[in-house]
Amino acid sequence: MTSRATFKRKEKLKSRKTIQKLFNEGKSFSNFPIKAIYLPVEKQDFALKAGFAVSSKNFKKAVERNRVKRLMRESYRVQKNYLSEQLISTGQQLVVFFIYTSKELPDYHQVFQQMQIVLERIGKAIAAK
């Protein structure tokens, strides 16, 4: 049986402390148009927590920012099992933050492809440790 692709409330990165630590100490890379910042952590209720952001400098209208965040969350939700299973099997925990850096409104297919590449890169970086 395959596990359902969900993105529950407890999987969302909300803690200000954790986010601050992530931006100060985390490793980052960019795969245009998505920039990813990740940090291995301990003592967390889920193996993988994620946050999403879109710059108001690039998208003036909140409707557009929310649309891009929704597309990123959906593509993450569908593809995160690869990374989650890898973390659970190695007993690691990770927090990740995705930032959309382009100025153009994307379509779902674009975001899906880039998110797949980003998640694979994070998986390789974690496996290398």
Side-chain angles (χ1 to χ4, degrees):
M1 185 179 119
T2 180
S3 62
R4 285 183 52 211
T6 60
F7 187 49
K8 296 182 178 166
R9 186 179 186 150
K10 289 189 175 186
E11 294 177 72
K12 295 177 181 166
L13 182 57
K14 294 181 181 178
S15 165
R16 282 182 184 259
K17 259 187 190 176
T18 309
I19 292 171
Q20 192 69 44
K21 187 176 180 183
L22 174 65
F23 277 89
N24 289 336
E25 302 171 21
K27 292 182 173 63
S28 69
F29 64 88
S30 189
N31 187 50
F32 190 79
I34 298 174
K35 179 179 180 180
I37 306 167
Y38 64 95
L39 180 69
V41 292
E42 295 172 14
K43 295 179 221 150
Q44 191 170 268
D45 49 356
F46 269 86
L48 183 61
K49 285 195 173 197
F52 301 88
V54 179
S55 172
S56 58
K57 198 183 273 187
N58 295 342
F59 294 98
K60 301 293 184 206
K61 296 178 183 171
V63 173
E64 293 174 346
R65 289 193 300 275
N66 293 338
R67 167 110 180 120
V68 175
K69 283 190 279 189
R70 199 175 307 121
L71 290 172
M72 287 199 312
R73 279 195 304 264
E74 177 61 14
S75 62
Y76 168 79
R77 180 189 70 83
V78 172
Q79 301 179 73
K80 73 175 174 140
N81 281 343
Y82 157 76
L83 193 56
S84 289
E85 289 168 4
Q86 186 179 353
L87 289 168
I88 291 167
S89 67
T90 60
Q92 293 177 303
Q93 294 180 331
L94 191 71
V95 289
V96 186
F97 205 88
F98 300 101
I99 302 170
Y100 189 81
T101 55
S102 178
K103 290 179 179 4
E104 283 91 42
L105 266 173
D107 64 336
Y108 177 71
H109 186 69
Q110 253 181 310
V111 175
F112 187 88
Q113 285 180 324
Q114 295 307 318
M115 186 63 73
Q116 184 176 20
I117 294 167
V118 167
L119 290 173
E120 285 173 2
R121 274 185 72 178
I122 292 172
K124 286 177 186 169
I126 294 301
K129 287 185 178 181

